[in-house]
Amino acid sequence: MKKGALFKTVRVVVVLLVAVAIAVVLVQLRPRAEKQERTTEGRLVEVVRTRSQSLPMIVEAYGTVAPREPLKLVAEVRGQVVDMHPAFIEGGFVKSGEVLLTIDPRDYELAVRRAKVGIRQAQAELDRLAQDILNLNASLKLARSDVDLALAELNRFKKLAGMDMTSQSVLDKADRQVLTSRERVQSLENQLAITGPDRIRLENQMEMAKVSLEQAILDVERCRINTPFDAWVTQKGVETGQHLSVGQSVGSIYRAGAFDIEVKIPMNDLAWFPDGVGSGSGLPVEVLFMETSTPKLWKGRVARVKAALDQTTRTLPVVVEVDEPTLEDSITHAADRLKPGMFVTVRIQGRQVENVHRLPRYLVHDGDTVYLAADDQLSIQPVSILRSFKQTVLISGGLSDGDLVITTPLSGAVPGMRIRMKAED
């Protein structure tokens, strides 16, 4: 073997021995792991402490605002429109009793004058008839006296004839005088008898003349279309100078500040109404309009409950009345007014329930259970749900005041699971 090759072999062996020695030393000097007991900490959860409450049951529904007293205006007489109220425009406000428009009244005023003339004529005829009756009675009285005188004369001549102191011709003449007097009495009595039907006819003429006068006065009044209450104008259909016919529409208004809202109540929610609720119950109601940056709120009441269910939705229609003061007509106040056509939320305050617990809906798990924390352990508690409303659940049984309900979402929760409570609200 050559000397160079031997040297290389010895050098490799020395390096390997040194490496083995270092490895043995490192193994002997490594730190020893200490044995420790394994501890298990429970899941960190948040809890809320329950407290029973006395709460009114709110029945919420939706409806569209409608005017309680809409009024369609029509012309009751024909004629030309000669004047119009400046506020008689769409959106205008008019006070009670103000004249919206005037139809030319001259023809109807002439009819009033004609009717008054007719009354005077009928009265004159009645006066003349009354005087005729007085005259006939006086004449009848004289005629009857004349009969009495003729009879007395006839009796006197009969006595003279019995004593042969007068002729038969004189006796016949006295007899004819009696007949003539009686005929006059009969004629006057006949004339007096027909004054009764004449009086009835003239009285009827007088009554017809009075009716014509009343009709003419009414037509004059109908020439002016007045507002029966404070009102807002929703439609205007005529202009000054336009000729109207009887029954022609001229516009429409509605009573200011008086509105109805018909809402449909599901049958299940009727259980929350107090016993004995019916028409005019007066249950307090909140009406909210949510389509503004700040929701608008009005107070109302349940006015009546309709007698039949809605055939389509199988719900019970309930009418809510809202009355609000009439505000000044301005753009600022217009934003605060309730208006027909608004789609609003109606909250009806129902009966009061006692000793219920209110929880967010997400805290009630499958099978109507809630997770409770007690002694650092989780328990699953069945509960009785009185009502679920939007994101809230009202619990009538299964919870006591002071129970700690776990609000942290837990997957795979089982009874007895160890937990740690983070905080209590």
Side-chain angles (χ1 to χ4, degrees):
M1 178 180 298
K2 293 183 178 180
K3 184 179 180 179
L6 179 61
F7 178 75
K8 290 180 180 179
T9 301
V10 172
R11 186 173 58 183
V12 171
V13 172
V14 171
V15 170
L16 291 175
L17 291 175
V18 171
V20 171
I22 292 173
V24 171
V25 172
L26 291 176
V27 170
Q28 292 297 324
L29 296 178
R30 74 180 185 273
R32 299 291 182 179
E34 297 181 0
K35 188 175 182 181
Q36 296 181 349
E37 294 291 335
R38 183 178 180 181
T39 59
T40 302
E41 293 185 353
R43 297 276 298 273
L44 184 62
V45 297
E46 294 181 354
V47 296
V48 61
R49 189 178 298 273
T50 61
R51 180 174 59 87
S52 62
Q53 302 177 28
S54 175
L55 298 172
M57 293 294 96
I58 303 299
V59 178
E60 189 168 291
Y62 304 91
T64 302
V65 178
R68 189 180 311 153
E69 295 184 52
L71 184 61
K72 184 177 181 181
L73 305 174
V74 298
E76 295 183 272
V77 295
R78 61 180 180 84
Q80 186 180 35
V81 178
V82 294
D83 190 28
M84 192 173 297
H85 196 289
F88 186 40
I89 54 176
E90 187 173 350
F93 177 77
V94 287
K95 289 284 189 179
S96 175
E98 292 186 345
V99 180
L100 288 177
L101 61 85
T102 302
I103 298 172
D104 189 354
R106 290 177 294 178
D107 290 341
Y108 305 102
E109 290 171 349
L110 291 175
V112 171
R113 294 173 59 185
R114 282 194 297 269
K116 289 180 178 179
V117 171
I119 291 176
R120 289 195 296 269
Q121 289 177 342
Q123 187 61 54
E125 292 292 330
L126 283 171
D127 293 342
R128 184 185 64 79
L129 179 62
Q131 187 61 48
D132 289 345
I133 292 173
L134 290 175
N135 294 339
L136 287 171
N137 284 325
S139 299
L140 183 60
K141 184 178 180 180
L142 292 174
R144 286 171 177 168
S145 297
D146 190 44
V147 170
D148 292 340
L149 291 173
L151 286 173
E153 184 73 11
L154 177 62
N155 290 331
R156 187 174 65 84
F157 283 132
K158 284 182 177 180
K159 289 180 181 180
L160 292 174
M163 294 183 293
D164 292 330
M165 297 178 64
T166 185
S167 64
Q168 184 65 37
S169 61
V170 173
L171 187 61
D172 292 340
K173 183 178 179 181
D175 195 16
R176 286 195 298 272
Q177 183 63 37
V178 171
L179 292 174
T180 302
S181 298
R182 286 178 172 173
E183 287 178 355
R184 178 168 174 76
V185 169
Q186 185 64 45
S187 176
L188 291 173
E189 288 178 345
N190 291 340
Q191 292 180 37
L192 191 60
I194 65 174
T195 58
D198 286 343
R199 183 172 58 251
I200 294 174
R201 176 177 57 81
L202 292 176
E203 287 175 349
N204 288 339
Q205 288 181 0
M206 170 66 80
E207 189 65 26
M208 287 300 297
K210 290 180 179 179
V211 170
S212 297
L213 177 61
E214 292 178 2
Q215 182 64 55
I217 293 174
L218 185 59
D219 288 340
V220 171
E221 294 176 353
R222 287 172 172 172
C223 289
R224 295 182 300 273
I225 298 180
N226 303 73
T227 53
F229 38 67
D230 292 351
W232 292 98
V233 180
T234 55
Q235 182 185 8
K236 172 190 173 185
V238 295
E239 298 295 341
T240 303
Q242 183 176 343
H243 191 278
L244 302 179
S245 58
V246 177
Q248 181 175 343
S249 175
V250 300
S252 57
I253 60 176
Y254 70 88
R255 181 187 286 272
F259 302 96
D260 284 351
I261 306 168
E262 183 176 309
V263 296
K264 307 295 180 64
I265 305 298
M267 296 300 294
N268 290 338
D269 286 343
L270 294 180
W272 308 122
F273 280 41
D275 294 337
V277 171
S279 295
S281 62
L283 284 178
V285 174
E286 288 184 347
V287 177
L288 294 100
F289 182 64
M290 311 296 291
E291 297 180 15
T292 55
S293 56
T294 302
K296 304 294 182 181
L297 173 66
W298 296 271
K299 298 293 185 180
R301 66 184 185 91
V302 173
R304 60 187 181 276
V305 178
K306 292 196 173 181
L309 294 179
D310 186 280
Q311 296 296 322
T312 304
T313 60
R314 308 304 300 173
T315 54
L316 184 63
V318 173
V319 178
V320 172
E321 287 185 353
V322 179
D323 294 299
E324 63 174 359
T326 303
L327 301 176
E328 180 185 354
D329 183 18
S330 68
I331 296 178
T332 303
H333 289 105
D336 297 326
R337 291 200 314 266
L338 197 62
K339 303 177 187 64
M342 281 183 170
F343 187 74
V344 294
T345 301
V346 174
R347 293 177 179 170
I348 303 173
Q349 183 171 329
R351 62 184 176 88
Q352 197 87 358
V353 294
E354 307 292 337
N355 299 322
V356 294
H357 295 82
R358 179 166 57 185
L359 292 178
R361 183 188 290 269
Y362 72 90
L363 296 184
V364 179
H365 306 283
D366 294 341
D368 294 342
T369 59
V370 296
Y371 297 161
L372 299 183
D375 299 330
D376 296 332
Q377 290 186 350
L378 179 146
S379 65
I380 299 177
Q381 176 65 40
V383 294
S384 299
I385 296 179
L386 178 66
R387 186 186 183 195
S388 296
F389 182 70
K390 291 189 174 179
Q391 301 303 316
T392 301
V393 175
L394 300 181
I395 297 174
S396 59
L399 292 179
S400 301
D401 288 352
D403 284 346
L404 299 177
V405 178
I406 298 173
T407 61
T408 302
L410 295 175
S411 59
V414 294
M417 175 188 291
R418 293 186 61 82
I419 56 174
R420 290 179 298 137
M421 291 181 288
K422 177 181 179 182
E424 182 178 324
D425 294 334

